[in-house]
Amino acid sequence: MNYKKLGNTDINVSTICLGTMTWGEQNTQDEGFEQMDFALDRGVNFWDTAELYSVPPKEETFGKTEIIIGNWFEKTKKRNKVILATKVAGPSRKYIRGGGNNYTLNKMTEALDNSLKRLKTDYIDLYQLHWPERNTNMFGKLGYVHDENEEWNKFEDILDHLSKFIKDGKIRDIGLSNETPWGVSRYLNLAENNNLPRMMSVQNPYSLLNRSYEVGLAEISIRDKVGLLAYSPLASGYLTGKYRNNQMPKNSRLERDGDFWTRYNKPNTVKAVDNYYEISKKHDLNFTKMSIKFCEIQPFITSVIIGATSMDQLKTNIESVNINLTDEVISEINEVQKIYPNPCP
Ligand SMILES: NC(=O)c1ccc[n+]([C@@H]2O[C@H](COP(=O)([O-])OP(=O)(O)OC[C@H]3O[C@@H](n4cnc5c(N)ncnc54)[C@H](OP(=O)(O)O)[C@@H]3O)[C@@H](O)[C@H]2O)c1
């Protein structure tokens, strides 16, 4: 396994991070336990969850993934072996603390205390804001509609709440998710100028089908030591090749919940995937591993958050760290990117 520092902290996190969002829905607790045992054994010390999980989000499964992880900590007594990241939900459905904006002191305190209880721990290593409260472009949305009268909690107030949680020993560090260059820069500036805690990571999507992070945020990640935690590196599974030639494998994400997972079902997805697949075959590389490794080697990335629904998938995804992408492979990948730039932003 490879390791990098989280933000400008001294915390070493594995460059493969264990994603967990299918546990409690598509995967059982036992399957989650098996994944945690295996991943930790392979040096994956960084795990990502959220109060919202499992997904697709539903009232009855809210918090279920955290419960599974908490049960594993209780059973194995290995909490101290893991750098644990979770998230407080953004403006949300009615069943999450009544809906609406979520980053007030009261709501965040309630969210954090409940996460700690479910996770059966007294601290979170990385506490992330799952998505911004303001209306901005996230989850693949394009076009920006500005509303002068929109209201959200001030960034400095949110940082103040997070600072309190750090002082109370409930969290160690903080991070953003689904943020824009404007949001990340503003949080960093406010922290620096007001002696507030600084964001250590940005958890946004990144894959061969969506390299939009490279446009604005990559520079911020490197210059300001606020690395990307890249989610959906396989674009929901498209970048394994499993949906090529109109295949729809039984019990796959798209077969189960295709109406929910529309983000990667775009006009140029199939053509781009076919082209990347051909590169992997030409160079005798496993396509899934090539797709993940391409993310892992990016200098602005701290860790790649993988998701797996079986042990075979988990093994393949973790083993991606061991392959090498030659300059020739990278340059062929970049040629495809020129033809199909970010088909799934
Ligand atoms: N911050 C956010 O808003 C956000 C959003 C999304 C994800 N995340 C985080 O990132 C993690 C990973 O995201 P993701 O699940 O969307 O990642 P992904 O890599 O895009 O997709 C993972 C899915 O692809 C399929 N797959 C994975 N490995 C495979 C393999 N080797 N062979 C064949 N199929 C394979 C599995 O689905 P099937 O087996 O069902 O087909 C798996 O659930 C999540 O668990 C979560 O922690 C965060």
Side-chain angles (χ1 to χ4, degrees):
M1 185 47 57
N2 300 316
Y3 297 87
K4 280 189 179 176
K5 297 275 184 228
L6 176 69
N8 68 1
T9 71
D10 285 331
I11 302 175
N12 275 319
V13 293
S14 47
T15 54
I16 294 290
C17 172
L18 183 65
T20 60
M21 72 182 184
T22 56
W23 309 350
E25 173 71 37
Q26 195 172 344
N27 290 110
T28 62
Q29 169 159 296
D30 282 350
E31 288 166 344
F33 277 22
E34 206 184 352
Q35 287 203 22
M36 287 184 267
D37 289 336
F38 181 85
L40 191 60
D41 191 54
R42 295 293 154 108
V44 177
N45 72 344
F46 190 27
W47 300 0
D48 177 68
T49 191
E51 60 166 348
L52 185 78
Y53 298 165
S54 13
V55 295
K58 290 184 214 132
E59 185 167 3
E60 58 273 24
T61 54
F62 178 85
K64 241 179 136 179
T65 308
E66 287 189 333
I67 289 174
I68 291 173
I69 297 170
N71 290 344
W72 186 89
F73 287 147
E74 184 177 55
K75 179 178 165 222
T76 61
K77 311 275 179 279
K78 288 184 178 165
R79 168 67 188 92
N80 63 349
K81 307 275 182 231
V82 175
I83 305 301
L84 179 64
T86 192
K87 317 181 192 81
V88 50
S92 40
R93 301 141 203 257
K94 267 249 168 313
Y95 66 81
I96 307 177
R97 295 176 287 282
N101 280 338
N102 226 350
Y103 299 154
T104 61
L105 180 60
N106 280 349
K107 285 191 178 188
M108 286 182 78
T109 305
E110 188 184 332
L112 175 57
D113 288 347
N114 285 334
S115 281
L116 289 169
K117 240 181 256 158
R118 284 189 291 263
L119 288 161
K120 298 197 166 97
T121 182
D122 48 14
Y123 71 100
I124 307 286
D125 295 284
L126 180 69
Y127 200 49
Q128 306 159 103
L129 306 178
H130 205 150
W131 61 89
E133 287 182 314
R134 64 191 194 284
N135 171 36
T136 186
N137 289 355
M138 54 187 142
F139 302 123
K141 185 172 160 230
L142 295 177
Y144 171 68
V145 183
H146 189 69
D147 174 2
E148 205 55 59
N149 300 315
E150 194 192 7
E151 289 187 0
W152 72 85
N153 289 290
K154 285 205 279 186
F155 287 4
E156 45 274 57
D157 290 345
I158 299 171
L159 288 175
D160 220 37
H161 310 332
L162 292 165
S163 167
K164 179 179 178 313
F165 300 154
I166 292 173
K167 283 185 196 124
D168 292 346
K170 293 179 182 176
I171 62 176
R172 290 173 76 189
D173 284 293
I174 57 174
L176 294 164
S177 184
N178 298 299
E179 255 303 353
T180 66
W182 184 82
V184 177
S185 301
R186 198 151 174 91
Y187 269 112
L188 290 174
N189 286 340
L190 283 167
E192 196 173 323
N193 296 334
N194 298 289
N195 200 22
L196 287 163
R198 80 189 290 280
M199 295 294 174
M200 294 299 177
S201 55
V202 185
Q203 182 174 145
N204 274 22
Y206 185 81
S207 71
L208 286 173
L209 295 184
N210 177 8
R211 292 171 57 180
S212 48
Y213 196 91
E214 290 177 37
V215 180
L217 280 160
E219 181 185 1
I220 303 176
S221 277
I222 292 176
R223 287 190 190 278
D224 287 329
K225 293 196 167 57
V226 56
L228 170 62
L229 309 181
Y231 76 69
S232 300
L234 295 174
S236 271
Y238 279 101
L239 289 167
T240 66
K242 70 202 280 182
Y243 299 115
R244 291 182 66 242
N245 304 320
N246 293 318
Q247 294 174 90
M248 186 52 71
K250 270 249 147 307
N251 217 21
S252 61
R253 180 177 290 184
L254 292 195
E255 202 244 359
R256 291 171 60 99
D257 298 303
D259 292 343
F260 179 78
W261 298 106
T262 54
R263 185 165 187 176
Y264 296 97
N265 185 4
K266 295 280 152 47
N268 280 332
T269 300
V270 170
K271 288 182 221 149
V273 167
D274 282 350
N275 276 267
Y276 290 126
Y277 177 82
E278 290 309 326
I279 296 172
S280 71
K281 288 304 121 194
K282 180 175 163 198
H283 295 275
D284 204 18
L285 294 166
N286 173 292
F287 183 37
T288 304
K289 291 182 188 174
M290 181 186 93
S291 301
I292 296 176
K293 187 70 184 179
F294 180 80
C295 302
E296 202 227 349
I297 59 178
Q298 301 303 325
F300 51 86
I301 285 188
T302 301
S303 193
V304 182
I305 314 177
I306 54 164
T309 63
S310 71
M311 291 306 291
D312 275 351
Q313 289 183 5
L314 185 65
K315 279 179 200 152
T316 305
N317 299 357
I318 292 176
E319 278 167 11
S320 66
V321 293
N322 300 323
I323 69 163
N324 178 42
L325 302 188
T326 60
D327 290 348
E328 203 185 342
V329 171
I330 304 286
S331 106
E332 287 177 26
I333 285 176
N334 286 334
E335 287 307 309
V336 176
Q337 176 69 17
K338 283 186 201 158
I339 305 168
Y340 303 110
N342 302 322
C344 313

